Amino acid sequence: MTVVGIAMVRDEADIIAGTIRHMDSEVDHLLVADNGSTDGTREILADLARNLPLTVVDDPDPAYYQSAKMSALARQGADELGARWIVPFDADELWYSPAGRIADVLTASRRPYAVADLYNHLATALDEPGDDPFRTMVWRQAEPAPLHKVAFRWQPGAVIHQGNHGVTLPADGPTLEGALKVRHFPARSPEQFARKGRNGAAAYAATDLPEHEGAHWRAWGRLHAQGGDELLHDVFRQHWWYLSPLDAGIIHDPAPYRRWE
């Protein structure tokens, strides 16, 4: 039974190779759409695809219709790769299961979908030295984020929700809980955070989605319009970077990164 990981990515050159290599060891095949990257992400993906079970497609549409685009990728994964399970992941996420390899855990389940708790990793003054955020950012929030992520058994007509936080299936059923976890690395440096804010705001501005969709991205776009990258750098320092992580209520817990190496 084939388990396919799917993703949309843009300008994630600092982590995309690590994400793909990690996910390659957790699922059977990867299907990734590049949304017009200009920082070398597309070239990194092409290089990885030479040696990994990775299919890369191009998405030239700048609009962030994530639900429609990810649902289409899921259909492609089923039609072209024989996917029986779909794992929608983001470029800044490391998925894993305490019970073993994700593909093995999902194929052993008879449930239609599985929810994954998501834990945010934060940058701190005590981070390990190095260039790989998945290895250097070793502090995370103690409690999972309010919204979880989801993997699901493929069904024609499946619709992945905006943000990859849920899925609507024609035939629903009981949820597999506790089997999957996600480590999330959304803000890694002031420069990366500013780029992420600019890209996300522009992508949502190109849609006709309601204002509550992507509200934080739109807010970052307004801040950028007011004060440019420097104002977003300040947001990073105030909200995503900690001098004293223990005082912030976060815990030292390195992600189980590329654990099958």
Side-chain angles (χ1 to χ4, degrees), residues 1-7 23 26-32 53 55 73-74 76-89 101-103 106-107 151-152 154:
M1 185 178 289
T2 302
V3 177
V4 175
I6 63 172
M23 294 300 294
E26 295 287 352
V27 301
D28 300 317
H29 200 101
L30 295 164
L31 174 58
V32 177
T55 300
L73 279 179
Q76 183 177 348
D79 294 342
E80 298 180 8
L81 302 172
R84 294 296 177 265
W85 275 88
I86 300 291
V87 179
F89 67 97
R101 181 172 174 260
I102 287 175
L106 292 178
T107 54
F152 62 96
W154 168 252

PDB file of all heavy atoms in Angstrom, residues 1-7 23 26-32 53 55 73-74 76-89 101-103 106-107 151-152 154:
ATOM      1  N   MET A   1       0.851  -1.186   0.000  1.00  0.00           N
ATOM      2  CA  MET A   1       0.000   0.000   0.000  1.00  0.00           C
ATOM      3  C   MET A   1       0.891   1.241   0.000  1.00  0.00           C
ATOM      4  O   MET A   1       1.817   1.343   0.787  1.00  0.00           O
ATOM      5  CB  MET A   1      -0.916   0.010   1.221  1.00  0.00           C
ATOM      6  CG  MET A   1      -1.914   1.172   1.227  1.00  0.00           C
ATOM      7  SD  MET A   1      -3.015   1.123   2.655  1.00  0.00           S
ATOM      8  CE  MET A   1      -4.032  -0.291   2.236  1.00  0.00           C
ATOM      9  N   THR A   2       0.626   2.190  -0.903  1.00  0.00           N
ATOM     10  CA  THR A   2       1.487   3.351  -1.073  1.00  0.00           C
ATOM     11  C   THR A   2       1.017   4.526  -0.231  1.00  0.00           C
ATOM     12  O   THR A   2      -0.153   4.905  -0.277  1.00  0.00           O
ATOM     13  CB  THR A   2       1.525   3.772  -2.551  1.00  0.00           C
ATOM     14  OG1 THR A   2       1.999   2.670  -3.335  1.00  0.00           O
ATOM     15  CG2 THR A   2       2.459   4.951  -2.751  1.00  0.00           C
ATOM     16  N   VAL A   3       1.934   5.093   0.515  1.00  0.00           N
ATOM     17  CA  VAL A   3       1.681   6.297   1.308  1.00  0.00           C
ATOM     18  C   VAL A   3       2.464   7.429   0.659  1.00  0.00           C
ATOM     19  O   VAL A   3       3.690   7.359   0.522  1.00  0.00           O
ATOM     20  CB  VAL A   3       2.105   6.103   2.771  1.00  0.00           C
ATOM     21  CG1 VAL A   3       1.886   7.397   3.555  1.00  0.00           C
ATOM     22  CG2 VAL A   3       1.330   4.951   3.406  1.00  0.00           C
ATOM     23  N   VAL A   4       1.751   8.475   0.242  1.00  0.00           N
ATOM     24  CA  VAL A   4       2.362   9.579  -0.496  1.00  0.00           C
ATOM     25  C   VAL A   4       2.270  10.859   0.327  1.00  0.00           C
ATOM     26  O   VAL A   4       1.184  11.236   0.790  1.00  0.00           O
ATOM     27  CB  VAL A   4       1.677   9.777  -1.869  1.00  0.00           C
ATOM     28  CG1 VAL A   4       2.233  11.017  -2.576  1.00  0.00           C
ATOM     29  CG2 VAL A   4       1.875   8.547  -2.744  1.00  0.00           C
ATOM     30  N   GLY A   5       3.396  11.521   0.499  1.00  0.00           N
ATOM     31  CA  GLY A   5       3.424  12.831   1.124  1.00  0.00           C
ATOM     32  C   GLY A   5       3.329  13.905   0.062  1.00  0.00           C
ATOM     33  O   GLY A   5       4.002  13.834  -0.969  1.00  0.00           O
ATOM     34  N   ILE A   6       2.474  14.909   0.281  1.00  0.00           N
ATOM     35  CA  ILE A   6       2.289  15.979  -0.691  1.00  0.00           C
ATOM     36  C   ILE A   6       2.537  17.325  -0.023  1.00  0.00           C
ATOM     37  O   ILE A   6       2.269  17.505   1.161  1.00  0.00           O
ATOM     38  CB  ILE A   6       0.882  15.942  -1.328  1.00  0.00           C
ATOM     39  CG1 ILE A   6      -0.203  16.165  -0.273  1.00  0.00           C
ATOM     40  CG2 ILE A   6       0.655  14.620  -2.053  1.00  0.00           C
ATOM     41  CD1 ILE A   6      -1.612  16.342  -0.846  1.00  0.00           C
ATOM     42  N   ALA A   7       3.045  18.284  -0.812  1.00  0.00           N
ATOM     43  CA  ALA A   7       3.355  19.597  -0.250  1.00  0.00           C
ATOM     44  C   ALA A   7       3.369  20.651  -1.344  1.00  0.00           C
ATOM     45  O   ALA A   7       3.652  20.361  -2.506  1.00  0.00           O
ATOM     46  CB  ALA A   7       4.708  19.582   0.459  1.00  0.00           C
ATOM     47  N   MET A  23      11.211  13.262   5.267  1.00  0.00           N
ATOM     48  CA  MET A  23       9.932  12.678   4.872  1.00  0.00           C
ATOM     49  C   MET A  23      10.112  11.479   3.950  1.00  0.00           C
ATOM     50  O   MET A  23       9.280  10.558   3.945  1.00  0.00           O
ATOM     51  CB  MET A  23       9.059  13.736   4.200  1.00  0.00           C
ATOM     52  CG  MET A  23       8.611  14.860   5.128  1.00  0.00           C
ATOM     53  SD  MET A  23       7.626  14.279   6.539  1.00  0.00           S
ATOM     54  CE  MET A  23       6.159  13.674   5.694  1.00  0.00           C
ATOM     55  N   GLU A  26       9.959   8.428   5.828  1.00  0.00           N
ATOM     56  CA  GLU A  26       8.711   8.165   6.554  1.00  0.00           C
ATOM     57  C   GLU A  26       7.580   7.687   5.645  1.00  0.00           C
ATOM     58  O   GLU A  26       6.642   7.038   6.110  1.00  0.00           O
ATOM     59  CB  GLU A  26       8.261   9.434   7.281  1.00  0.00           C
ATOM     60  CG  GLU A  26       9.203   9.902   8.385  1.00  0.00           C
ATOM     61  CD  GLU A  26       9.138   9.026   9.629  1.00  0.00           C
ATOM     62  OE1 GLU A  26       8.260   8.141   9.701  1.00  0.00           O
ATOM     63  OE2 GLU A  26       9.974   9.222  10.531  1.00  0.00           O
ATOM     64  N   VAL A  27       7.620   8.035   4.357  1.00  0.00           N
ATOM     65  CA  VAL A  27       6.550   7.663   3.425  1.00  0.00           C
ATOM     66  C   VAL A  27       7.168   6.989   2.205  1.00  0.00           C
ATOM     67  O   VAL A  27       8.391   6.895   2.077  1.00  0.00           O
ATOM     68  CB  VAL A  27       5.709   8.890   3.009  1.00  0.00           C
ATOM     69  CG1 VAL A  27       5.075   9.548   4.229  1.00  0.00           C
ATOM     70  CG2 VAL A  27       6.556   9.900   2.244  1.00  0.00           C
ATOM     71  N   ASP A  28       6.308   6.529   1.276  1.00  0.00           N
ATOM     72  CA  ASP A  28       6.797   5.772   0.126  1.00  0.00           C
ATOM     73  C   ASP A  28       7.172   6.656  -1.057  1.00  0.00           C
ATOM     74  O   ASP A  28       8.053   6.300  -1.850  1.00  0.00           O
ATOM     75  CB  ASP A  28       5.729   4.768  -0.317  1.00  0.00           C
ATOM     76  CG  ASP A  28       5.374   3.782   0.777  1.00  0.00           C
ATOM     77  OD1 ASP A  28       6.304   3.297   1.454  1.00  0.00           O
ATOM     78  OD2 ASP A  28       4.172   3.505   0.967  1.00  0.00           O
ATOM     79  N   HIS A  29       6.477   7.774  -1.225  1.00  0.00           N
ATOM     80  CA  HIS A  29       6.756   8.665  -2.339  1.00  0.00           C
ATOM     81  C   HIS A  29       6.377  10.085  -1.925  1.00  0.00           C
ATOM     82  O   HIS A  29       5.511  10.276  -1.063  1.00  0.00           O
ATOM     83  CB  HIS A  29       5.959   8.253  -3.585  1.00  0.00           C
ATOM     84  CG  HIS A  29       6.533   8.802  -4.868  1.00  0.00           C
ATOM     85  ND1 HIS A  29       7.309   8.037  -5.726  1.00  0.00           N
ATOM     86  CD2 HIS A  29       6.460  10.024  -5.433  1.00  0.00           C
ATOM     87  CE1 HIS A  29       7.674   8.769  -6.759  1.00  0.00           C
ATOM     88  NE2 HIS A  29       7.175   9.986  -6.610  1.00  0.00           N
ATOM     89  N   LEU A  30       7.024  11.061  -2.551  1.00  0.00           N
ATOM     90  CA  LEU A  30       6.752  12.469  -2.283  1.00  0.00           C
ATOM     91  C   LEU A  30       6.352  13.165  -3.570  1.00  0.00           C
ATOM     92  O   LEU A  30       6.945  12.940  -4.629  1.00  0.00           O
ATOM     93  CB  LEU A  30       7.993  13.147  -1.698  1.00  0.00           C
ATOM     94  CG  LEU A  30       8.432  12.630  -0.320  1.00  0.00           C
ATOM     95  CD1 LEU A  30       9.856  13.075  -0.025  1.00  0.00           C
ATOM     96  CD2 LEU A  30       7.495  13.102   0.769  1.00  0.00           C
ATOM     97  N   LEU A  31       5.330  14.013  -3.469  1.00  0.00           N
ATOM     98  CA  LEU A  31       4.838  14.801  -4.599  1.00  0.00           C
ATOM     99  C   LEU A  31       4.805  16.252  -4.143  1.00  0.00           C
ATOM    100  O   LEU A  31       4.027  16.616  -3.257  1.00  0.00           O
ATOM    101  CB  LEU A  31       3.446  14.319  -5.006  1.00  0.00           C
ATOM    102  CG  LEU A  31       2.707  15.100  -6.083  1.00  0.00           C
ATOM    103  CD1 LEU A  31       3.504  15.156  -7.377  1.00  0.00           C
ATOM    104  CD2 LEU A  31       1.328  14.480  -6.326  1.00  0.00           C
ATOM    105  N   VAL A  32       5.665  17.090  -4.730  1.00  0.00           N
ATOM    106  CA  VAL A  32       5.846  18.458  -4.245  1.00  0.00           C
ATOM    107  C   VAL A  32       5.631  19.443  -5.389  1.00  0.00           C
ATOM    108  O   VAL A  32       6.206  19.291  -6.471  1.00  0.00           O
ATOM    109  CB  VAL A  32       7.256  18.646  -3.652  1.00  0.00           C
ATOM    110  CG1 VAL A  32       7.467  20.090  -3.212  1.00  0.00           C
ATOM    111  CG2 VAL A  32       7.461  17.700  -2.464  1.00  0.00           C
ATOM    112  N   PRO A  53      12.516   8.990  -4.407  1.00  0.00           N
ATOM    113  CA  PRO A  53      11.166   8.837  -4.975  1.00  0.00           C
ATOM    114  C   PRO A  53      10.373  10.126  -4.786  1.00  0.00           C
ATOM    115  O   PRO A  53       9.453  10.206  -3.973  1.00  0.00           O
ATOM    116  CB  PRO A  53      10.591   7.669  -4.179  1.00  0.00           C
ATOM    117  CG  PRO A  53      11.301   7.715  -2.861  1.00  0.00           C
ATOM    118  CD  PRO A  53      12.694   8.189  -3.185  1.00  0.00           C
ATOM    119  N   THR A  55       8.522  13.360  -6.893  1.00  0.00           N
ATOM    120  CA  THR A  55       7.995  13.960  -8.112  1.00  0.00           C
ATOM    121  C   THR A  55       7.788  15.449  -7.850  1.00  0.00           C
ATOM    122  O   THR A  55       7.112  15.823  -6.894  1.00  0.00           O
ATOM    123  CB  THR A  55       6.664  13.311  -8.519  1.00  0.00           C
ATOM    124  OG1 THR A  55       6.871  11.908  -8.739  1.00  0.00           O
ATOM    125  CG2 THR A  55       6.113  13.946  -9.784  1.00  0.00           C
ATOM    126  N   LEU A  73      -3.321  17.880  -5.715  1.00  0.00           N
ATOM    127  CA  LEU A  73      -2.118  17.060  -5.554  1.00  0.00           C
ATOM    128  C   LEU A  73      -2.470  15.685  -5.008  1.00  0.00           C
ATOM    129  O   LEU A  73      -1.879  14.670  -5.420  1.00  0.00           O
ATOM    130  CB  LEU A  73      -1.131  17.748  -4.619  1.00  0.00           C
ATOM    131  CG  LEU A  73      -0.242  18.853  -5.189  1.00  0.00           C
ATOM    132  CD1 LEU A  73       0.642  19.421  -4.090  1.00  0.00           C
ATOM    133  CD2 LEU A  73       0.610  18.353  -6.339  1.00  0.00           C
ATOM    134  N   ALA A  74      -3.410  15.626  -4.083  1.00  0.00           N
ATOM    135  CA  ALA A  74      -3.828  14.332  -3.540  1.00  0.00           C
ATOM    136  C   ALA A  74      -4.416  13.452  -4.648  1.00  0.00           C
ATOM    137  O   ALA A  74      -4.120  12.251  -4.732  1.00  0.00           O
ATOM    138  CB  ALA A  74      -4.841  14.531  -2.424  1.00  0.00           C
ATOM    139  N   GLN A  76      -3.718  13.659  -7.815  1.00  0.00           N
ATOM    140  CA  GLN A  76      -2.598  13.260  -8.661  1.00  0.00           C
ATOM    141  C   GLN A  76      -1.819  12.114  -8.024  1.00  0.00           C
ATOM    142  O   GLN A  76      -1.386  11.178  -8.712  1.00  0.00           O
ATOM    143  CB  GLN A  76      -1.672  14.457  -8.918  1.00  0.00           C
ATOM    144  CG  GLN A  76      -0.515  14.147  -9.852  1.00  0.00           C
ATOM    145  CD  GLN A  76       0.344  15.367 -10.137  1.00  0.00           C
ATOM    146  OE1 GLN A  76      -0.033  16.499  -9.827  1.00  0.00           O
ATOM    147  NE2 GLN A  76       1.505  15.159 -10.731  1.00  0.00           N
ATOM    148  N   GLY A  77      -1.620  12.209  -6.719  1.00  0.00           N
ATOM    149  CA  GLY A  77      -0.921  11.136  -6.025  1.00  0.00           C
ATOM    150  C   GLY A  77      -1.647   9.809  -6.136  1.00  0.00           C
ATOM    151  O   GLY A  77      -1.021   8.752  -6.289  1.00  0.00           O
ATOM    152  N   ALA A  78      -2.968   9.851  -6.065  1.00  0.00           N
ATOM    153  CA  ALA A  78      -3.758   8.619  -6.196  1.00  0.00           C
ATOM    154  C   ALA A  78      -3.733   8.108  -7.626  1.00  0.00           C
ATOM    155  O   ALA A  78      -3.526   6.907  -7.872  1.00  0.00           O
ATOM    156  CB  ALA A  78      -5.181   8.882  -5.737  1.00  0.00           C
ATOM    157  N   ASP A  79      -3.942   9.001  -8.593  1.00  0.00           N
ATOM    158  CA  ASP A  79      -4.054   8.580  -9.991  1.00  0.00           C
ATOM    159  C   ASP A  79      -2.723   8.117 -10.565  1.00  0.00           C
ATOM    160  O   ASP A  79      -2.670   7.124 -11.311  1.00  0.00           O
ATOM    161  CB  ASP A  79      -4.604   9.728 -10.839  1.00  0.00           C
ATOM    162  CG  ASP A  79      -6.036  10.087 -10.497  1.00  0.00           C
ATOM    163  OD1 ASP A  79      -6.718   9.262  -9.857  1.00  0.00           O
ATOM    164  OD2 ASP A  79      -6.469  11.200 -10.855  1.00  0.00           O
ATOM    165  N   GLU A  80      -1.639   8.839 -10.268  1.00  0.00           N
ATOM    166  CA  GLU A  80      -0.362   8.575 -10.924  1.00  0.00           C
ATOM    167  C   GLU A  80       0.590   7.729 -10.086  1.00  0.00           C
ATOM    168  O   GLU A  80       1.461   7.044 -10.648  1.00  0.00           O
ATOM    169  CB  GLU A  80       0.326   9.901 -11.280  1.00  0.00           C
ATOM    170  CG  GLU A  80      -0.490  10.752 -12.262  1.00  0.00           C
ATOM    171  CD  GLU A  80       0.207  12.062 -12.602  1.00  0.00           C
ATOM    172  OE1 GLU A  80       1.384  12.233 -12.198  1.00  0.00           O
ATOM    173  OE2 GLU A  80      -0.429  12.909 -13.253  1.00  0.00           O
ATOM    174  N   LEU A  81       0.447   7.770  -8.765  1.00  0.00           N
ATOM    175  CA  LEU A  81       1.385   7.068  -7.895  1.00  0.00           C
ATOM    176  C   LEU A  81       0.733   5.939  -7.105  1.00  0.00           C
ATOM    177  O   LEU A  81       1.405   5.256  -6.343  1.00  0.00           O
ATOM    178  CB  LEU A  81       2.034   8.066  -6.926  1.00  0.00           C
ATOM    179  CG  LEU A  81       2.773   9.235  -7.587  1.00  0.00           C
ATOM    180  CD1 LEU A  81       3.209  10.246  -6.537  1.00  0.00           C
ATOM    181  CD2 LEU A  81       3.974   8.741  -8.375  1.00  0.00           C
ATOM    182  N   GLY A  82      -0.573   5.772  -7.279  1.00  0.00           N
ATOM    183  CA  GLY A  82      -1.271   4.704  -6.576  1.00  0.00           C
ATOM    184  C   GLY A  82      -1.405   4.930  -5.084  1.00  0.00           C
ATOM    185  O   GLY A  82      -1.456   3.960  -4.308  1.00  0.00           O
ATOM    186  N   ALA A  83      -1.484   6.179  -4.662  1.00  0.00           N
ATOM    187  CA  ALA A  83      -1.559   6.481  -3.233  1.00  0.00           C
ATOM    188  C   ALA A  83      -2.810   5.881  -2.610  1.00  0.00           C
ATOM    189  O   ALA A  83      -3.916   6.016  -3.144  1.00  0.00           O
ATOM    190  CB  ALA A  83      -1.553   7.985  -3.006  1.00  0.00           C
ATOM    191  N   ARG A  84      -2.627   5.248  -1.469  1.00  0.00           N
ATOM    192  CA  ARG A  84      -3.754   4.777  -0.653  1.00  0.00           C
ATOM    193  C   ARG A  84      -3.904   5.633   0.602  1.00  0.00           C
ATOM    194  O   ARG A  84      -4.977   5.719   1.168  1.00  0.00           O
ATOM    195  CB  ARG A  84      -3.546   3.308  -0.283  1.00  0.00           C
ATOM    196  CG  ARG A  84      -3.605   2.384  -1.489  1.00  0.00           C
ATOM    197  CD  ARG A  84      -4.989   2.399  -2.116  1.00  0.00           C
ATOM    198  NE  ARG A  84      -5.059   1.577  -3.324  1.00  0.00           N
ATOM    199  CZ  ARG A  84      -4.907   2.033  -4.559  1.00  0.00           C
ATOM    200  NH1 ARG A  84      -4.670   3.326  -4.763  1.00  0.00           N
ATOM    201  NH2 ARG A  84      -4.970   1.228  -5.595  1.00  0.00           N
ATOM    202  N   TRP A  85      -2.815   6.239   1.040  1.00  0.00           N
ATOM    203  CA  TRP A  85      -2.835   7.209   2.127  1.00  0.00           C
ATOM    204  C   TRP A  85      -2.132   8.474   1.657  1.00  0.00           C
ATOM    205  O   TRP A  85      -1.149   8.404   0.901  1.00  0.00           O
ATOM    206  CB  TRP A  85      -2.113   6.685   3.377  1.00  0.00           C
ATOM    207  CG  TRP A  85      -2.959   5.833   4.269  1.00  0.00           C
ATOM    208  CD1 TRP A  85      -3.139   4.485   4.191  1.00  0.00           C
ATOM    209  CD2 TRP A  85      -3.730   6.276   5.394  1.00  0.00           C
ATOM    210  NE1 TRP A  85      -3.969   4.057   5.184  1.00  0.00           N
ATOM    211  CE2 TRP A  85      -4.351   5.136   5.947  1.00  0.00           C
ATOM    212  CE3 TRP A  85      -3.950   7.516   5.991  1.00  0.00           C
ATOM    213  CZ2 TRP A  85      -5.177   5.202   7.061  1.00  0.00           C
ATOM    214  CZ3 TRP A  85      -4.773   7.582   7.107  1.00  0.00           C
ATOM    215  CH2 TRP A  85      -5.382   6.433   7.628  1.00  0.00           C
ATOM    216  N   ILE A  86      -2.629   9.626   2.099  1.00  0.00           N
ATOM    217  CA  ILE A  86      -2.059  10.920   1.759  1.00  0.00           C
ATOM    218  C   ILE A  86      -1.598  11.611   3.047  1.00  0.00           C
ATOM    219  O   ILE A  86      -2.358  11.675   4.025  1.00  0.00           O
ATOM    220  CB  ILE A  86      -3.092  11.822   1.048  1.00  0.00           C
ATOM    221  CG1 ILE A  86      -3.582  11.169  -0.257  1.00  0.00           C
ATOM    222  CG2 ILE A  86      -2.512  13.208   0.797  1.00  0.00           C
ATOM    223  CD1 ILE A  86      -2.545  11.088  -1.350  1.00  0.00           C
ATOM    224  N   VAL A  87      -0.380  12.132   3.033  1.00  0.00           N
ATOM    225  CA  VAL A  87       0.153  12.892   4.168  1.00  0.00           C
ATOM    226  C   VAL A  87       0.466  14.307   3.672  1.00  0.00           C
ATOM    227  O   VAL A  87       1.498  14.544   3.046  1.00  0.00           O
ATOM    228  CB  VAL A  87       1.424  12.240   4.738  1.00  0.00           C
ATOM    229  CG1 VAL A  87       1.963  13.067   5.914  1.00  0.00           C
ATOM    230  CG2 VAL A  87       1.149  10.809   5.172  1.00  0.00           C
ATOM    231  N   PRO A  88      -0.414  15.282   3.912  1.00  0.00           N
ATOM    232  CA  PRO A  88      -0.157  16.662   3.489  1.00  0.00           C
ATOM    233  C   PRO A  88       0.779  17.358   4.490  1.00  0.00           C
ATOM    234  O   PRO A  88       0.429  17.535   5.648  1.00  0.00           O
ATOM    235  CB  PRO A  88      -1.545  17.312   3.502  1.00  0.00           C
ATOM    236  CG  PRO A  88      -2.530  16.188   3.733  1.00  0.00           C
ATOM    237  CD  PRO A  88      -1.773  15.143   4.473  1.00  0.00           C
ATOM    238  N   PHE A  89       1.956  17.737   4.033  1.00  0.00           N
ATOM    239  CA  PHE A  89       2.923  18.372   4.940  1.00  0.00           C
ATOM    240  C   PHE A  89       3.382  19.703   4.361  1.00  0.00           C
ATOM    241  O   PHE A  89       3.285  19.954   3.157  1.00  0.00           O
ATOM    242  CB  PHE A  89       4.128  17.452   5.184  1.00  0.00           C
ATOM    243  CG  PHE A  89       5.006  17.220   3.982  1.00  0.00           C
ATOM    244  CD1 PHE A  89       6.165  17.952   3.786  1.00  0.00           C
ATOM    245  CD2 PHE A  89       4.679  16.249   3.032  1.00  0.00           C
ATOM    246  CE1 PHE A  89       6.979  17.744   2.686  1.00  0.00           C
ATOM    247  CE2 PHE A  89       5.489  16.023   1.923  1.00  0.00           C
ATOM    248  CZ  PHE A  89       6.640  16.777   1.749  1.00  0.00           C
ATOM    249  N   ARG A 101       7.750   3.885  11.559  1.00  0.00           N
ATOM    250  CA  ARG A 101       7.690   4.617  10.296  1.00  0.00           C
ATOM    251  C   ARG A 101       6.236   4.957   9.975  1.00  0.00           C
ATOM    252  O   ARG A 101       5.332   4.130  10.120  1.00  0.00           O
ATOM    253  CB  ARG A 101       8.301   3.758   9.191  1.00  0.00           C
ATOM    254  CG  ARG A 101       8.350   4.386   7.809  1.00  0.00           C
ATOM    255  CD  ARG A 101       9.161   3.512   6.858  1.00  0.00           C
ATOM    256  NE  ARG A 101       9.114   4.022   5.490  1.00  0.00           N
ATOM    257  CZ  ARG A 101       8.331   3.537   4.536  1.00  0.00           C
ATOM    258  NH1 ARG A 101       7.507   2.521   4.803  1.00  0.00           N
ATOM    259  NH2 ARG A 101       8.349   4.051   3.327  1.00  0.00           N
ATOM    260  N   ILE A 102       5.997   6.203   9.534  1.00  0.00           N
ATOM    261  CA  ILE A 102       4.634   6.657   9.300  1.00  0.00           C
ATOM    262  C   ILE A 102       3.894   5.753   8.320  1.00  0.00           C
ATOM    263  O   ILE A 102       2.730   5.402   8.547  1.00  0.00           O
ATOM    264  CB  ILE A 102       4.638   8.116   8.797  1.00  0.00           C
ATOM    265  CG1 ILE A 102       4.973   9.067   9.948  1.00  0.00           C
ATOM    266  CG2 ILE A 102       3.294   8.497   8.196  1.00  0.00           C
ATOM    267  CD1 ILE A 102       5.120  10.507   9.528  1.00  0.00           C
ATOM    268  N   ALA A 103       4.533   5.383   7.223  1.00  0.00           N
ATOM    269  CA  ALA A 103       3.867   4.544   6.227  1.00  0.00           C
ATOM    270  C   ALA A 103       3.398   3.230   6.835  1.00  0.00           C
ATOM    271  O   ALA A 103       2.297   2.741   6.530  1.00  0.00           O
ATOM    272  CB  ALA A 103       4.795   4.286   5.043  1.00  0.00           C
ATOM    273  N   LEU A 106       0.308   3.924   9.247  1.00  0.00           N
ATOM    274  CA  LEU A 106      -0.939   4.229   8.551  1.00  0.00           C
ATOM    275  C   LEU A 106      -1.500   3.014   7.832  1.00  0.00           C
ATOM    276  O   LEU A 106      -2.712   2.765   7.864  1.00  0.00           O
ATOM    277  CB  LEU A 106      -0.716   5.381   7.564  1.00  0.00           C
ATOM    278  CG  LEU A 106      -0.427   6.741   8.191  1.00  0.00           C
ATOM    279  CD1 LEU A 106      -0.189   7.787   7.110  1.00  0.00           C
ATOM    280  CD2 LEU A 106      -1.567   7.188   9.105  1.00  0.00           C
ATOM    281  N   THR A 107      -0.665   2.252   7.172  1.00  0.00           N
ATOM    282  CA  THR A 107      -1.181   1.100   6.433  1.00  0.00           C
ATOM    283  C   THR A 107      -1.718   0.017   7.368  1.00  0.00           C
ATOM    284  O   THR A 107      -2.556  -0.798   6.962  1.00  0.00           O
ATOM    285  CB  THR A 107      -0.103   0.501   5.522  1.00  0.00           C
ATOM    286  OG1 THR A 107       1.062   0.200   6.284  1.00  0.00           O
ATOM    287  CG2 THR A 107       0.247   1.475   4.412  1.00  0.00           C
ATOM    288  N   ALA A 151      -3.638  13.344   8.229  1.00  0.00           N
ATOM    289  CA  ALA A 151      -3.344  12.446   7.116  1.00  0.00           C
ATOM    290  C   ALA A 151      -4.596  11.617   6.874  1.00  0.00           C
ATOM    291  O   ALA A 151      -5.391  11.403   7.797  1.00  0.00           O
ATOM    292  CB  ALA A 151      -2.158  11.544   7.442  1.00  0.00           C
ATOM    293  N   PHE A 152      -4.798  11.136   5.648  1.00  0.00           N
ATOM    294  CA  PHE A 152      -6.057  10.443   5.377  1.00  0.00           C
ATOM    295  C   PHE A 152      -5.906   9.359   4.319  1.00  0.00           C
ATOM    296  O   PHE A 152      -5.039   9.428   3.453  1.00  0.00           O
ATOM    297  CB  PHE A 152      -7.139  11.442   4.945  1.00  0.00           C
ATOM    298  CG  PHE A 152      -6.843  12.193   3.679  1.00  0.00           C
ATOM    299  CD1 PHE A 152      -7.343  11.763   2.454  1.00  0.00           C
ATOM    300  CD2 PHE A 152      -6.065  13.342   3.708  1.00  0.00           C
ATOM    301  CE1 PHE A 152      -7.076  12.455   1.289  1.00  0.00           C
ATOM    302  CE2 PHE A 152      -5.794  14.054   2.546  1.00  0.00           C
ATOM    303  CZ  PHE A 152      -6.308  13.600   1.329  1.00  0.00           C
ATOM    304  N   TRP A 154      -6.959   7.744   1.047  1.00  0.00           N
ATOM    305  CA  TRP A 154      -7.482   8.379  -0.154  1.00  0.00           C
ATOM    306  C   TRP A 154      -8.891   7.913  -0.491  1.00  0.00           C
ATOM    307  O   TRP A 154      -9.189   6.704  -0.469  1.00  0.00           O
ATOM    308  CB  TRP A 154      -6.579   8.122  -1.356  1.00  0.00           C
ATOM    309  CG  TRP A 154      -7.245   8.511  -2.644  1.00  0.00           C
ATOM    310  CD1 TRP A 154      -7.723   7.678  -3.616  1.00  0.00           C
ATOM    311  CD2 TRP A 154      -7.592   9.843  -3.063  1.00  0.00           C
ATOM    312  NE1 TRP A 154      -8.319   8.403  -4.635  1.00  0.00           N
ATOM    313  CE2 TRP A 154      -8.251   9.732  -4.312  1.00  0.00           C
ATOM    314  CE3 TRP A 154      -7.390  11.101  -2.509  1.00  0.00           C
ATOM    315  CZ2 TRP A 154      -8.712  10.842  -5.005  1.00  0.00           C
ATOM    316  CZ3 TRP A 154      -7.853  12.213  -3.197  1.00  0.00           C
ATOM    317  CH2 TRP A 154      -8.502  12.070  -4.430  1.00  0.00           C
TER     318      TRP A 154
END
